[in-house]
Amino acid sequence: MPLIVQKFGGSSVANAERVRNVARIVTETFRAGNDVVVVVSAQGDTTDDLITKAAELTQKPPRREMDQLLSAGEQISISLLAMACNELGCPAVSLLGWQAGFQTDSRYGAARIKSIRTERLQVEIGRKNIVVVAGFQGICKYDDITTLGRGGSDTSAVALAAALRADRCQIFTDVEGVYTADPRKIPGAKKLSEITYDEMLELATLGAQVLNNRSVEMAKKYHVELEVLSSLTNKPGTIVKEVTAMEKMLVRGVTKDSEAARISVIGVPDVPGIAFKIFSKLAAKNINVDIILQSVGRDGTKDISFTVSRTHAPEAIELLGKLDILDGLTVTCDTAVAKISVVGAGMETHPGTASQMFEALFAEDINIQMIATSEIKISVLIEEAAADRAVAAVHRAFFPEE
Ligand code: ASP
Ligand code: MG
């Protein structure tokens, strides 16, 4: 019998009516003759609300207790969904992460799945139960509850699909699939019928919010084909897989990331070892650096600019302050920036993509502060105030309205 893993995000189970809607989708899949394992996130803003509750008591909650707290959100949604499935006449059983066999490392708040012991799951599937599993959580070797990091339920679903060798893994959300740009902001955005893992990974990392990037990494590693679709409309979604049948598209999507900050160090000595000293200091504290730009040396000095996520910016500046080689130099930090990216596997063989993007920005009189490219993406850093206009202009350039 085919086995289908279906994942529903927080907005898809936000209230009783939505839970009932999900139960309808799940039970229909079950009645059509499939074994069904469902992964759900916490209802609506529950996880944020729990974080707020902790913040009312302490600025430094122990991470173990934070995981214990946040895992409660998913416990609510799985039990409610199992009840709703039973109400519709299909037997369902809910399992917390540990009951479903999710073994993780003990990095509380950012745990990695090490393995899934599927015995209990297999038993429940064999009993012809719909199995409803709490996403985003597992258990570590100390028998403590762990969580996988925000948006982690996608990863739970992909991991389950891989462990159970599911025939399909469907990720239900509140948009109809993966679009060429955020459909809520860009009216001309088009739904893609297919996209490769690599393209999806870039889009997810660069700011598209439809799939968590770790889940895409895992899907690629274990060859789990994903379907992203809406729980609210009954339409085909987007398939994420290794190779798409479609011709390589020059540009598959345009994204905006408003979480960046640009840090610049002005007038560093133009001698070997400076970049090493700066970036090893940041790496030692796990601060991820994205775009790096170094000016040509002049009069024995040069400037180095780079971007980090906004949340890391204060710590990065503090660390630079501790470097003797930067003593007395000006370090600036600009958080009013945004990163706009175009992604597409076809640009590998199309040299004109960058200039087409730059032309669209020029036509809008938008200044480019930094540029970074890889085989399948081009990112530019611009002032944040122009970000939405930039996405619209770049999108128009690559996807002209018919
Ligand atoms: N409930 C968790 C969060 O909001 C996990 C998830 O939604 O995937 O981050
Ligand atoms: Mg959530």
Side-chain angles (χ1 to χ4, degrees):
M1 196 169 271
L3 172 69
I4 301 187
V5 171
Q6 299 186 315
K7 183 260 168 179
F8 295 87
S11 58
S12 298
V13 291
N15 52 43
E17 191 201 326
R18 295 253 172 116
V19 172
R20 216 174 281 126
N21 173 55
V22 168
R24 211 174 299 126
I25 297 173
V26 170
T27 53
E28 271 171 22
T29 311
F30 183 76
R31 287 207 172 97
N34 302 291
D35 290 329
V36 185
V37 175
V38 191
V39 175
V40 275
S41 303
Q43 293 185 287
D45 296 328
T46 304
T47 308
D48 290 319
D49 295 344
L50 292 172
I51 292 173
T52 306
K53 279 185 191 295
E56 282 164 7
L57 294 167
T58 166
Q59 284 314 306
K60 270 200 164 138
R63 299 179 95 185
R64 176 192 182 279
E65 300 310 328
M66 220 39 214
D67 279 10
Q68 188 85 313
L69 174 69
L70 296 190
S71 67
E74 272 70 11
Q75 180 158 5
I76 297 173
S77 48
I78 53 168
S79 46
L80 292 176
L81 179 57
M83 291 175 199
C85 290
N86 279 306
E87 191 64 22
L88 293 180
C90 291
V93 60
S94 68
L95 299 176
L96 290 165
W98 67 268
Q99 294 172 310
F102 277 82
Q103 307 283 321
T104 74
D105 63 19
S106 50
R107 261 180 282 182
Y108 303 105
R112 299 247 163 191
I113 300 166
K114 294 175 83 171
S115 65
I116 302 178
R117 298 196 181 141
T118 58
E119 294 85 351
R120 173 79 189 270
L121 285 161
Q122 305 282 11
V123 168
E124 299 298 348
I125 294 169
R127 285 180 182 149
K128 290 287 143 214
N129 274 320
I130 293 173
V131 189
V132 186
V133 178
F136 173 61
Q137 54 176 263
I139 193 165
C140 71
K141 65 179 178 195
Y142 306 116
D143 275 354
D144 280 341
I145 304 294
T146 52
T147 66
L148 308 180
R150 297 304 307 268
S153 304
D154 290 345
T155 310
S156 307
V158 174
L160 267 183
L164 296 169
R165 300 185 199 288
D167 295 276
R168 228 185 311 160
C169 183
Q170 297 182 308
I171 309 283
F172 288 85
T173 172
D174 53 1
V175 290
E176 283 176 17
V178 183
Y179 281 72
T180 53
D182 185 344
R184 287 165 287 212
K185 298 232 175 77
I186 307 288
K190 297 179 177 62
K191 185 167 74 185
L192 298 163
S193 56
E194 296 180 334
I195 185 166
T196 66
Y197 294 125
D198 289 331
E199 290 171 320
M200 190 62 235
L201 201 52
E202 289 287 5
L203 287 182
T205 311
L206 294 169
Q209 276 161 0
V210 12
L211 277 179
N212 173 281
N213 59 353
R214 263 174 64 193
S215 71
V216 185
E217 258 167 30
M218 186 175 287
K220 179 180 162 145
K221 184 164 168 198
Y222 295 101
H223 310 284
V224 176
E225 198 169 294
L226 303 178
E227 183 181 2
V228 180
L229 68 176
S230 165
S231 60
L232 305 172
T233 65
N234 190 10
K235 293 193 184 151
T238 303
I239 306 281
V240 189
K241 57 183 185 174
E242 191 65 51
V243 241
T244 58
M246 279 195 292
E247 210 186 317
K248 279 187 178 179
M249 266 165 84
L250 185 56
V251 166
R252 196 81 81 171
V254 184
T255 59
K256 169 180 99 169
D257 172 8
S258 301
E259 278 307 302
R262 182 182 58 162
I263 295 179
S264 301
V265 197
I266 315 294
V268 298
D270 191 14
V271 295
I274 299 288
F276 164 67
K277 283 172 189 153
I278 292 178
F279 295 115
S280 58
K281 189 96 185 162
L282 300 176
K285 291 283 177 197
N286 278 323
I287 297 182
N288 219 0
V289 173
D290 187 25
I291 309 178
I292 300 176
L293 190 77
Q294 177 177 298
S295 71
V296 175
R298 211 182 308 111
D299 303 327
T301 67
K302 61 191 173 190
D303 306 335
I304 295 181
S305 303
F306 56 90
T307 61
V308 296
S309 80
R310 260 178 223 178
T311 46
H312 282 145
E315 197 186 346
I317 303 229
E318 197 186 312
L319 288 167
L320 294 184
K322 291 185 188 150
L323 276 177
D324 294 344
I325 45 159
L326 304 184
D327 267 354
L329 299 183
T330 310
V331 177
T332 63
C333 177
D334 187 356
T335 53
V337 292
K339 186 169 67 177
I340 310 297
S341 308
V342 295
V343 173
M347 69 173 77
E348 264 176 303
T349 47
H350 263 84
T353 316
S355 69
Q356 206 176 331
M357 179 186 195
F358 303 158
E359 183 184 10
L361 295 170
F362 171 54
E364 288 287 320
D365 205 23
I366 295 169
N367 188 37
I368 299 173
Q369 302 175 3
M370 293 172 117
I371 302 171
T373 65
S374 79
E375 277 151 21
I376 66 166
K377 72 142 199 246
I378 301 163
S379 298
V380 297
L381 198 76
I382 61 167
E383 66 164 322
E384 189 176 20
D388 288 333
R389 205 154 48 84
V391 173
V394 173
H395 189 269
R396 236 181 290 120
F398 290 103
F399 303 95
E401 308 273 329
E402 276 103 38

